[in-house]
Amino acid sequence: MEETTKYVNVEWLRENFPCMMACPVHTEAGRYVHLIAQGRYAEAYRVARAPNPFASICGRICAAPCEGVCRRGKLDQPIAIRALKRFVTERFGVESMIDVIKLQEVLRPRIKPKNKKVAIIGAGPAGLSCAHDLALMGYQVSVIEKHKVPGGMLRLGVPEYRLPRELIRLEINAILSLGVNLQLGKALGRDFYLKDLRNAGYDAIFLAMGAHKNRVLNIEGIQADGILNAIDYLLNVNLGY
Ligand code: SF4
């Protein structure tokens, strides 16, 4: 049989797996949708969770760019990828009250400890996802957050009616259960500096402070009294000011 060589490149993936390529963490959405269609819900959950420690949260509030490029949409309407994610996370994710001890039993033996320390500044989605992945790779991880609560914009930007605080707490607890150290109420530049972290023996530092910035409308009167911008408003509400 004649051998053929196939080159897989980004353009090919975009054309053939548009949902996966549109997803910021490249979730194999087509695969978990297919598994759900076969009634293999637990496997579907594992596929959805594999690249994403916040799968349960994404099942509720992701903007679902995967659905925007779903090829089914060319026929009638896109597959409800995000709703299907929520369907499996409600059965097998942190909100299903899966015992965190069980999660540790599954994940911890896979961790091969490394004698390397990483500091992550910011306990938002980027910082905590990084902490999750590095902990699974065996690094000793400390996450340092300036606010008194972890979660970043999940906790301080998204209103509670859209994202229950208990779900955020459970997702973060699952990450911390991997041995991640979390320090709250410590701000870079106020309570410590990068050189302090280097002196404390950290081998790497990941800056994940986020961008708590508004898009400001370029219209007359935008600076007038009584005009609030959305991010400041949400931060004030969620921090209880
Ligand atoms: S809903 Fe969001 S996280 Fe889930 S596959 Fe789509 S883009 Fe990725």
Side-chain angles (χ1 to χ4, degrees):
M1 199 205 248
E2 197 182 319
E3 278 194 22
T4 54
T5 306
K6 280 193 179 160
Y7 295 97
V8 178
N9 61 33
V10 172
E11 284 316 310
W12 188 90
L13 286 170
R14 275 210 185 99
E15 206 176 300
N16 290 280
F17 297 91
C19 52
M20 184 176 88
M21 296 307 284
C23 172
V25 290
H26 297 329
T27 306
E28 290 182 274
R31 196 163 149 224
Y32 80 69
V33 167
H34 191 64
L35 287 165
I36 291 170
Q38 294 177 332
R40 294 159 67 184
Y41 304 144
E43 287 168 80
Y45 172 70
R46 283 200 288 275
V47 171
R49 172 65 169 73
N52 185 359
F54 290 110
S56 297
I57 288 175
C58 286
R60 286 167 180 260
I61 61 160
C62 181
C66 52
E67 294 181 18
V69 295
C70 174
R71 285 187 292 184
R72 180 77 208 188
K74 292 189 180 138
L75 291 178
D76 39 42
Q77 55 183 337
I79 301 287
I81 298 171
R82 180 186 51 213
L84 287 167
K85 184 188 302 274
R86 180 165 173 177
F87 171 76
V88 286
T89 59
E90 285 182 345
R91 277 153 189 77
F92 300 100
V94 286
E95 67 271 50
S96 71
M97 290 303 158
I98 181 178
D99 193 342
V100 167
I101 305 289
K102 283 225 169 67
L103 195 68
Q104 288 179 349
E105 279 168 10
V106 175
L107 295 174
R108 282 205 169 203
R110 292 192 209 156
I111 301 173
K112 305 254 179 312
K114 289 185 172 67
N115 196 19
K116 297 265 179 202
K117 295 199 320 179
V118 181
I120 296 173
I121 317 295
L128 290 170
S129 297
C130 179
H132 169 267
D133 291 1
L134 290 176
L136 287 180
M137 291 162 75
Y139 290 93
Q140 299 162 38
V141 184
S142 293
V143 180
I144 308 168
E145 165 62 45
K146 81 169 174 185
H147 290 295
K148 295 271 168 52
V149 286
M153 289 304 271
L154 295 174
R155 174 71 179 66
L156 303 176
V158 184
E160 187 165 4
Y161 77 90
R162 290 276 289 118
L163 186 57
R165 284 7 188 178
E166 181 61 5
L167 182 59
I168 302 173
R169 192 185 67 76
L170 291 168
E171 291 267 62
I172 293 175
N173 273 359
I175 294 170
L176 299 182
S177 76
L178 299 173
V180 172
N181 167 259
L182 175 64
Q183 301 170 30
L184 297 172
K186 288 169 75 173
L188 177 64
R190 182 188 71 193
D191 304 306
F192 68 96
Y193 295 90
L194 293 180
K195 70 172 175 352
D196 300 323
L197 297 175
R198 292 202 191 93
N199 292 341
Y202 285 98
D203 298 282
I205 300 164
F206 177 52
L207 302 177
M209 289 90 80
H212 297 190
K213 287 204 163 168
N214 292 282
R215 284 188 199 158
V216 181
L217 289 176
N218 188 17
I219 56 173
E220 197 179 332
I222 196 69
Q223 306 296 348
D225 278 353
I227 303 283
L228 302 175
N229 63 54
I231 299 287
D232 287 346
Y233 175 77
L234 288 166
L235 286 173
N236 285 343
V237 169
N238 287 313
L239 286 167
Y241 295 147

